[in-house]
Amino acid sequence: MAMIFGGAGLALNNFLSPSANYIYPAGDVITGADPVLDLTGRIEVARGDIGPRTAVIVVIGQSLSVNEVPTPYVPTNTNIDQLNIFDGKLYRAKDPLLGINVSGGAVTDLRGTWMLRMADKLVDAGHFDRVVLVPMAVGNTRADQWASETTAPYLFNKINVVALRLRDAGLPCTAIMWGQGESDTIAGTSQAAYTASLNKIIAEFNHAIPNCPILVAQESYYYGATSAAVLAAQAAVVNGTTVFAGENVDSIGSGGRYDNTHLNETGADQRATLAVAALMAALAS
């Protein structure tokens, strides 16, 4: 069941500034991080009735959760939408998804995501009648970048922007899915440092979007290498009440990755299946 989105957390952060919805251009700092914003061919949709049979899922992370699968995925269900965090409007969900970058390519490249596959599976299995995706990931990012409100590209502030977008669109929050870790494997981030960053991010989500379950994926796989420190940190924040274990992305081997890091179509489908199982387990808790 979707958690009702409240304004108490927003009040804590004093979101009264006219620039509260401003998203710093990550592309100024991170090469290739410019989001897909072209609305050509996009179909705007109404909010409609939002009840317990509608899932609103926020997805945050790095390149595996942007438009990076080599080919776009076309959902079999028509009741899958997305909230564009840049204009606050709802659109029929279509790869490449709006508001996130194209990993390893230009914003005009047609690539896909695992998220639309997950949405299809949620509807096909009868878990929900409608899914609204809220993608906010940025490729090639570390956990400490998401935890920083003082260092460009100020990714920490995107949490507040997304909260405002949900509020203004009249949307609840069913779950927040964190999927990140590859860049910290590269950087050799310690368990303590990663845990500190992730705890700060989780706390801000709890302030800005109260009572929305957070799922933390096991994700560190980079060209066949994994990080015990990152995986331990991701596991350490799980408490089984507000923060839950997400999908084990590292269980997807090289056969599900087109460059032994990023997901191919097979890997995207595997992740979607794992994500559905993790999400439904968390919501049943």
Side-chain angles (χ1 to χ4, degrees):
M1 178 178 293
M3 298 294 179
I4 300 301
F5 174 69
L10 297 181
L12 289 173
N13 292 302
N14 299 315
F15 291 138
L16 300 177
S17 167
S19 63
N21 280 312
Y22 177 72
I23 299 175
Y24 186 92
D28 286 3
V29 178
I30 303 168
T31 302
D34 297 313
V36 175
L37 298 176
D38 185 4
L39 299 179
T40 303
R42 305 288 176 165
I43 300 173
E44 188 175 347
V45 298
R47 173 187 178 274
D49 294 331
I50 302 292
R53 297 289 299 170
T54 297
V56 180
I57 303 171
V58 177
V59 180
I60 175 175
Q62 60 174 115
S63 60
L64 266 64
S65 291
V66 300
N67 299 294
E68 53 87 26
V69 181
T71 56
Y73 175 78
V74 180
T76 58
N77 296 284
T78 59
N79 46 350
I80 298 173
D81 304 317
Q82 81 149 109
L83 178 66
N84 179 4
I85 64 171
F86 280 82
D87 66 9
K89 297 179 180 180
L90 283 166
Y91 297 90
R92 184 74 66 231
K94 174 184 176 182
D95 277 338
L97 291 174
L98 295 167
I100 53 177
N101 64 292
V102 177
S103 179
V107 291
T108 53
D109 287 353
L110 297 179
R111 296 194 184 184
T113 64
W114 61 270
M115 288 173 273
L116 285 179
R117 291 168 167 84
M118 175 185 69
D120 242 356
K121 292 177 186 291
L122 286 169
V123 175
D124 286 343
H127 297 307
F128 296 98
D129 295 330
R130 180 188 181 193
V131 176
V132 179
L133 298 170
V134 188
M136 61 177 292
V138 178
N140 196 27
T141 50
R142 301 183 310 273
D144 70 298
Q145 289 177 300
W146 282 102
S148 177
E149 69 272 44
T150 60
T151 305
Y154 311 105
L155 296 175
F156 186 77
N157 297 342
K158 288 186 72 171
I159 298 170
N160 297 331
V161 172
V162 168
L164 282 171
R165 292 304 196 194
L166 287 171
R167 182 198 67 181
D168 293 345
L171 293 173
C173 180
T174 304
I176 298 158
M177 304 186 79
W178 169 265
Q180 184 279 341
E182 295 83 5
S183 290
D184 286 282
T185 294
I186 303 168
T189 304
S190 69
Q191 179 180 345
Y194 193 99
T195 300
S197 293
L198 192 48
N199 276 331
K200 183 177 178 182
I201 294 161
I202 289 169
E204 189 65 7
F205 270 117
N206 287 336
H207 286 161
I209 311 177
N211 304 316
C212 189
I214 299 172
L215 281 75
V216 177
Q218 292 278 281
E219 183 172 337
S220 72
Y221 187 110
Y222 180 75
Y223 289 102
T226 59
S227 168
V230 169
L231 292 172
Q234 291 164 345
V237 300
V238 172
N239 58 28
T241 55
T242 59
V243 184
F244 301 88
E247 66 276 23
N248 185 349
V249 186
D250 281 7
S251 68
I252 302 172
S254 59
R257 301 170 186 260
Y258 62 83
D259 59 357
N260 205 20
T261 297
H262 298 90
L263 303 177
N264 58 25
E265 292 78 5
T266 298
D269 192 72
Q270 290 175 329
R271 179 168 190 171
T273 298
L274 294 169
V276 168
L279 176 62
M280 298 315 299
L283 295 180
S285 298

